[in-house]
Amino acid sequence: MAYNITKLLSLVSLLLCLSFCTIGVVHARPPFACDPHNPITRGLKFCRVTVPIHVRVQDLIGRLTLQEKIRLLVNNAIAVPRLGIQGYEWWSEALHGVSNVGPGTRFGGAFPGATSFPQVITTAASFNESLWQEIGRVVSDEARAMYNGGMAGLTYWSPNVNIFRDPRWGRGQETPGEDPVLAAKYAARYVKGLQGDGAGNRLKVAACCKHYTAYDLDNWNGVNRFHFNARVSKQDLVDTYDVPFKACVVEGNVASVMCSYNQVNGKPTCADPDLLKGTIRGQWRLNGYIVSDCDSVGVLYDEQHYTRTPEEAAADAIKAGLDLDCGPFLAIHTEAAVRRGLVSQLEINWALANTMTVQMRLGMFDGEPSAHQYGNLGPRDVCTPAHQQLALEAARQGIVLLENRGRSLPLSTRRHRTVAVIGPNSDVTVTMIGNYAGVACGYTTPLQGIGRYTRTIHQAGCTDVHCNGNQLFGDAEAAARQADATVLVMGLDQSIEAEFVDRAGLLLPGHQQELVSRVARASRGPTILVLMSGGPIDVTFAKNDPRISAIIWVGYPGQAGGTAIADVLFGTTNPGGKLPMTWYPQNYVTHLPMTDMAMRADPARGYPGRTYRFYRGPVVFPFGLGLSYTTFAHNLAHGPTLVSVPLTSLKATANSTMLSKAVRVSHADCNALSPLDVHVDVKNTGSMDGTHTLLVFTSPPDGKWAASKQLVGFHKIHIAAGSEKRVRIAVHVCKHLSVVDRFGIRRIPLGEHKLQIGDLSHNVSLQTNLGEIKV
């Protein structure tokens, strides 16, 4: 009997070893196409890497039947075995780390997880362009590694660069915030990080900027994104909604743009040739493909009833410039559309040429993946210590100190030996990574992070962020009475704000406010309010409560969020983040429909305007706010005061250019204008080393076109205590001092412009080479 048991245990051990010891084994991906061992493809021109890509693409398209072409117009593209081509899933996501939201990526085996960086709104708060690009580089390393292991694709439908126009939008967390320049810079840098250096027109992975355009409503007050017609002026489209997308294409050289569910001025974006062919591919010269948001071609027929028949919907989308349908609609209805003469095979060929060109730029038709660039990446390149350290650093840089009464922060391990950690977000994991996330390498919760510095007493206070009752408040108050300091980690999660979940208001949910106030009254030491959320929260009550010593916003800080929060609380990290969106009071949204897309205020109808650029009312916390544990002083060292704008010809004065007291940018000789050099000396006047971000705003002469001020750039510098650094700011007249008129035309107003740099103000007067025009 003993012998049999021993034998059985040995067998079990062997089976367990066979199960678990193979987890780390990587099964190399077979070639997607052009397998050198496949005699079928050996002599095909599209497999020859020495032939120009456009010639290879045309050769491949010429070999396909109509039915094969049509089944390659959708995200789950079919295999073409007779040509040695495998099937391919186009839909993968990498918003802030490799994600398994799309069917193209899965975790398991040698790839149990991937580095989960802070949600985009948090990373945007760092105002650090090099950080954004480095995150993109790391994410693409992990994406390529997972592709090589057969667990992911190479086409990632990220980033989301829509403008965070309304504070209730559930997907605002995915975006870089409310400012078009900030969003544009983020878009270009993250895309460059993902796609690689672009050498030889090659791609590391293919990024995709979404959702084009004027998409920032999911489901509000009975109106959802499938049925919403965004009425947008030409002015707002050009100077707000389209700015990040243009930067994606022109500066980032993105490989794809995704059109959105909504209509813009009565036309579905995925069937609007002016937007797709005219703007993205025509004006901006997209080098890549245009893809629909998932099922949006079906939506424009089934939900919006834009066409009479499904065949017309398929034809309209393809003819408008759509290259790939995320969804089955084109696979089902395109052949009938061809038979009816609604769309031609030539137009289908153009769409395929755009998608196949991207696949070839990715090396998918170059044979054995392991033999090419990035072919050596594997499991050892995912969740590396360096990658996880970068996730921690990103979280630290994105945390924003909003209030610090009497320098209550940082806490001291000597004076604050016991800390009460309270709140529904105080010990969360998945909440910290927000939406469009994957499986994190691991987590450090706020409770765990604080516990590394001092002894903790933990009480959740609420069972979840909805906080529907106050039954647990007594225990939370008791914890606060026993501790030397109290940290309340409150806020939101994906049940409150998410895709298809827009918020009803801006206040803390349920009884959270009551919990904060009661704990603050009970606390015997400083009370710190930590807010975890994507969107802004009206915490006026806390701002006005002297018992709440400090307020910190951490966004959704990613897998290392708890460590980053504790590092800021105890001063290991000096906070340097700044708000990428305005925090409004609740009454701002009380009578403001999300459906009103106008950016500019309209006092005649009681419309307050949107974002810091156009809204002039009271705020809880303004765009760009972010405090530090040290102090900085600014001094203007150099700046021009008068600049002459050369015109391309005197004929420019014969039209409305001069009548409007502004020069059309197209009539100015921008190449002859050197950047305006402004030099600012920044001194750290405190006792702690710190990172400081100089935000540069411009304000044009008074006029009806422009925002009262507009962010044009930012500079992040680290300065040791007592030290000083000089920052050179280059202001480009045609780019930074121009505005967009109501016709969508960019102009340079003449007269006095104001530069606002930190607490400094500097005026520059613009005139033409015909002399100054008084404004």
Side-chain angles (χ1 to χ4, degrees):
M1 185 71 174
Y3 170 78
N4 290 337
I5 291 174
T6 303
K7 194 173 182 181
L8 180 62
L9 288 173
S10 298
L11 180 61
V12 169
S13 298
L14 177 62
L15 290 172
L16 285 171
C17 182
L18 289 173
S19 295
F20 291 102
C21 293
T22 57
I23 286 177
V25 175
V26 185
H27 301 285
R29 171 184 288 276
F32 165 75
C34 304
D35 187 342
H37 303 295
N38 185 346
I40 295 175
T41 61
R42 226 171 259 158
L44 299 178
K45 183 184 284 188
F46 68 80
C47 288
R48 297 180 199 157
V49 295
T50 56
V51 174
I53 284 179
H54 72 277
V55 176
R56 297 169 69 190
V57 167
Q58 290 307 315
D59 177 73
L60 173 54
I61 291 173
R63 297 174 187 273
L64 297 169
T65 67
L66 175 61
Q67 290 72 28
E68 287 168 340
K69 291 175 182 178
I70 288 169
R71 282 304 315 276
L72 295 174
L73 293 174
V74 292
N75 63 290
N76 56 339
I78 60 162
V80 187
R82 66 183 186 85
L83 296 177
I85 300 172
Q86 294 190 10
Y88 181 68
E89 176 54 68
W90 285 82
W91 180 8
S92 289
E93 302 279 355
L95 183 68
H96 52 108
V98 179
S99 167
N100 56 353
V101 169
T105 302
R106 65 188 189 278
F107 291 104
F111 300 95
T115 308
S116 192
F117 290 91
Q119 182 58 286
V120 175
I121 194 72
T122 314
T123 308
S126 72
F127 283 81
N128 187 340
E129 294 184 64
S130 61
L131 174 68
W132 303 334
Q133 187 162 337
E134 181 63 10
I135 290 173
R137 186 195 65 77
V138 165
V139 171
S140 61
D141 271 359
E142 298 196 351
R144 266 284 178 173
M146 292 183 66
Y147 173 78
N148 293 339
M151 303 294 281
L154 289 177
T155 47
Y156 289 85
W157 293 347
S158 304
N160 179 344
V161 297
N162 292 116
I163 297 298
F164 197 172
R165 169 189 61 96
D166 190 291
R168 294 164 290 190
W169 187 31
R171 300 188 73 178
Q173 61 181 293
E174 302 172 30
T175 77
E178 71 181 35
D179 181 80
V181 169
L182 173 60
K185 287 180 179 291
Y186 178 89
R189 282 302 196 102
Y190 189 64
V191 165
K192 286 179 180 178
L194 285 176
Q195 295 191 163
D197 60 15
N201 198 29
R202 290 292 179 144
L203 294 165
K204 187 179 180 185
V205 303
C208 173
C209 288
K210 61 185 185 184
H211 315 76
Y212 185 74
T213 183
Y215 166 65
D216 52 13
L217 177 151
D218 268 66
N219 189 15
W220 176 81
N221 202 29
V223 180
N224 66 43
R225 60 189 181 177
F226 305 128
H227 302 92
F228 180 49
N229 176 24
R231 300 191 180 277
V232 183
S233 70
K234 184 69 173 175
Q235 185 178 36
D236 285 342
L237 198 65
V238 172
D239 89 340
T240 299
Y241 295 110
D242 279 4
V243 173
F245 292 97
K246 183 178 181 181
C248 266
V249 177
V250 176
E251 298 169 34
N253 196 24
V254 75
S256 177
V257 173
M258 177 184 284
C259 51
S260 54
Y261 290 113
N262 56 290
Q263 296 185 354
V264 172
N265 299 328
K267 286 185 180 180
T269 64
C270 292
D272 188 338
D274 291 333
L275 293 179
L276 306 190
K277 275 187 175 176
T279 302
I280 298 174
R281 200 169 292 286
Q283 292 178 31
W284 300 342
R285 313 299 297 171
L286 172 70
N287 179 21
Y289 69 98
I290 299 173
V291 61
S292 73
D293 204 343
C294 294
D295 294 318
S296 61
V297 182
V299 164
L300 71 88
Y301 171 70
D302 293 320
E303 304 290 339
Q304 298 175 3
H305 309 297
Y306 184 69
T307 61
R308 290 183 299 105
T309 67
E311 294 81 13
E312 288 171 328
D316 282 1
I318 293 170
K319 290 163 77 172
L322 187 73
D323 302 311
L324 187 72
D325 176 20
C326 178
F329 198 88
L330 290 188
I332 297 169
H333 299 292
T334 301
E335 187 172 357
V338 173
R339 285 201 306 267
R340 288 180 54 189
L342 299 173
V343 67
S344 69
Q345 274 210 61
L346 181 61
E347 288 163 317
I348 293 171
N349 291 349
W350 287 340
L352 289 175
N354 291 325
T355 55
M356 289 175 174
T357 296
V358 168
Q359 287 182 310
M360 290 197 180
R361 291 171 64 198
L362 287 163
M364 294 173 66
F365 285 83
D366 292 352
E368 176 56 53
S370 63
H372 298 286
Q373 190 179 18
Y374 312 118
N376 62 326
L377 295 172
R380 68 186 181 280
D381 301 296
V382 179
C383 287
T384 68
H387 293 182
Q388 296 194 62
Q389 182 63 32
L390 183 65
L392 172 58
E393 183 58 30
R396 287 168 173 160
Q397 291 194 27
I399 291 176
V400 182
L401 178 62
L402 299 172
E403 189 85 51
N404 193 17
R405 285 190 180 90
R407 297 181 177 250
S408 301
L409 290 178
L411 299 177
S412 164
T413 54
R414 181 177 52 82
R415 288 182 289 110
H416 305 110
R417 296 182 178 182
T418 302
V419 173
V421 184
I422 295 168
N425 281 336
S426 59
D427 197 26
V428 292
T429 54
V430 175
T431 296
M432 296 194 299
I433 62 177
N435 68 352
Y436 277 79
V439 177
C441 309
Y443 296 100
T444 303
T445 72
L447 176 64
Q448 291 169 336
I450 295 168
R452 292 174 179 175
Y453 281 91
T454 190
R455 191 173 78 85
T456 59
I457 308 170
H458 180 236
Q459 288 292 332
C462 307
T463 55
D464 55 37
V465 294
H466 293 272
C467 203
N468 290 323
N470 59 10
Q471 298 89 338
L472 304 177
F473 288 9
D475 291 339
E477 290 171 297
R481 290 190 191 99
Q482 299 172 50
D484 301 315
T486 299
V487 176
L488 285 147
V489 191
M490 314 299 287
L492 314 177
D493 65 13
Q494 300 306 302
S495 68
I496 302 287
E497 54 176 358
E499 185 170 12
F500 219 66
V501 182
D502 294 328
R503 292 158 66 193
L506 304 183
L507 300 175
L508 283 168
H511 293 269
Q512 282 197 42
Q513 179 172 328
E514 180 189 350
L515 174 61
V516 172
S517 296
R518 283 176 56 172
V519 167
R521 282 197 297 269
S523 179
R524 77 177 194 205
T527 301
I528 315 302
L529 175 60
V530 176
L531 296 167
M532 195 177 290
S533 71
I537 303 171
D538 181 356
V539 288
T540 302
F541 80 96
K543 186 180 174 183
N544 294 336
D545 187 343
R547 291 163 298 200
I548 296 174
S549 309
I551 304 173
I552 292 176
W553 176 71
V554 300
Y556 293 120
Q559 65 177 49
T563 301
I565 291 167
D567 288 347
V568 168
L569 289 174
F570 284 91
T572 302
T573 295
N574 189 351
K578 291 185 179 294
L579 287 181
M581 73 295 205
T582 303
W583 286 38
Y584 303 90
Q586 168 63 24
N587 61 15
Y588 171 77
V589 300
T590 303
H591 302 294
L592 179 64
M594 276 190 76
T595 50
D596 196 322
M597 300 295 290
M599 295 300 299
R600 287 155 172 79
D602 185 356
R605 61 186 182 97
Y607 186 70
R610 303 281 189 172
T611 76
Y612 80 91
R613 297 164 66 220
F614 302 106
Y615 170 66
R616 298 292 160 265
V619 300
V620 180
F621 296 114
F623 173 90
L625 175 69
L627 306 178
S628 172
Y629 294 152
T630 190
T631 52
F632 298 94
H634 310 100
N635 179 58
L636 183 67
H638 171 76
T641 57
L642 180 64
V643 176
S644 179
V645 180
L647 302 180
T648 53
S649 72
L650 293 180
K651 291 181 181 178
T653 63
N655 57 31
S656 62
T657 284
M658 307 308 292
L659 295 178
S660 61
K661 297 180 180 177
V663 177
R664 283 195 186 197
V665 168
S666 59
H667 293 160
D669 189 356
C670 295
N671 291 329
L673 267 172
S674 298
L676 312 185
D677 263 349
V678 180
H679 297 171
V680 176
D681 293 329
V682 183
K683 185 173 184 179
N684 183 338
T685 55
S687 58
M688 191 179 205
D689 296 354
T691 299
H692 184 52
T693 300
L694 272 180
L695 302 182
V696 183
F697 296 92
T698 62
S699 297
D702 291 338
K704 58 188 176 183
W705 303 329
S708 65
K709 72 174 184 177
Q710 168 66 60
L711 183 74
V712 297
F714 44 88
H715 299 261
K716 196 174 188 77
I717 48 174
H718 185 81
I719 309 178
S723 297
E724 183 175 86
K725 288 186 179 179
R726 176 163 293 185
V727 179
R728 176 184 174 271
I729 298 164
V731 178
H732 297 266
V733 171
C734 294
K735 182 178 181 180
H736 297 144
L737 300 184
S738 61
V739 299
V740 176
D741 70 13
R742 62 190 178 92
F743 302 106
I745 298 170
R746 189 163 285 281
R747 300 174 181 268
I748 304 168
L750 302 173
E752 195 165 81
H753 291 248
K754 179 188 291 184
L755 297 180
Q756 182 183 329
I757 308 163
D759 54 7
L760 297 177
S761 183
H762 177 68
N763 294 335
V764 179
S765 187
L766 299 185
Q767 64 180 31
T768 71
N769 52 1
L770 300 178
E772 187 173 11
I773 296 181
K774 301 295 183 184
V775 179

